[in-house]
């Protein structure tokens, strides 16, 4: 994850904003300026009390939700090549970000093997379902981390430099 890589490779004082760990475990971030993290599991692992919110939760403040055109959409992580014949639309998360966001917003419900597919859908209050895929890094940790978030977008914005 970004925060784990930054702890090792970033210059001292680098700002971390909204990132989260991929796996459970203690990470020394003492050289970093951590402003916010994805969820409470990451906050506990790094030993800091900071806002917990994924920046993807800001989508409704940045994009107008399109008209709903599909009942059930599936957002596939880039490693997920399953077909999902039961979905009304399949959205490939590796497409341009504006297309992915518009595709998610056009769905009444979203199932996703991509964490940010759920983050964006939930931000628009679209009902969601996690689709497990063994090839997606981080196992269930990052999903649980996001689920424990306070989803407080105001606190997330207030901690920007």
């Amino acid at each position: 994850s970004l925060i784990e890589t930054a702890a090792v490779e970033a210059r001292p004082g680098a700002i971390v904003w909204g990132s989260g760990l991929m796996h459970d475990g203690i990470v020394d971030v003492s050289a970093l300026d951590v402003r916010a993290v994805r969820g409470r599991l990451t906050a506990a692992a790094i030993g800091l009390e900071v806002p917990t919110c994924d920046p993807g939760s800001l989508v409704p403040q940045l994009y107008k939700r399109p008209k709903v055109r599909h009942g059930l959409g599936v957002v596939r992580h880039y490693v997920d090549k399953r077909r999902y014949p039961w979905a009304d639309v399949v959205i490939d998360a590796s497409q341009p970000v504006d297309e992915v966001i518009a595709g998610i917003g056009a769905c009444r419900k979203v199932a996703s093997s991509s964490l940010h597919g759920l983050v964006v859908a939930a931000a628009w209050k679209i009902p969601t379902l996690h689709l497990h895929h063994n090839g997606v890094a981080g196992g269930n940790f990052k999903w649980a981390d996001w689920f424990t978030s306070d989803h407080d977008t105001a606190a997330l914005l207030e901690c920007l430099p």
Side-chain angles (χ1 to χ4, degrees), residues 5-77:
T5 302
V8 176
E9 298 178 13
R11 63 176 169 64
I15 295 173
V16 174
W17 182 72
S19 182
L21 298 176
M22 295 289 279
H23 306 281
D24 194 14
I26 305 299
V27 176
D28 178 12
V29 295
S30 58
L32 302 174
D33 180 2
V34 180
R35 304 289 179 94
V37 295
R38 180 194 312 125
R40 294 180 192 170
L41 300 179
T42 294
I46 64 174
L48 294 177
E49 288 189 29
V50 294
T52 58
C53 186
D54 189 292
S57 299
L58 295 170
V59 163
Q61 296 177 30
L62 302 170
Y63 290 85
K64 182 177 188 264
R65 183 174 176 193
K67 180 182 175 188
V68 174
R69 297 186 323 269
H70 309 289
L72 174 60
V74 168
V75 182
R76 294 189 314 192
H77 187 277

Side-chain angles (χ1 to χ4, degrees), residues 26 46 67 88 93 99 108 114 119 124 146 150 152:
I26 305 299
I46 64 174
K67 180 182 175 188
D88 298 319
E99 291 178 25
R108 187 167 286 108
S114 166
V119 171
W124 269 324
W146 169 69
D150 294 328
D152 185 347

Side-chain angles (χ1 to χ4, degrees), residues 18 25 29 52 55 59 64 84 93 100-101 109 113 130 133 146-148 150 153 158:
V29 295
T52 58
V59 163
K64 182 177 188 264
Y84 299 104
V100 174
I101 290 171
K109 298 182 284 188
S113 56
H130 169 212
H133 188 284
W146 169 69
F147 193 72
T148 66
D150 294 328
T153 56
E158 287 170 7

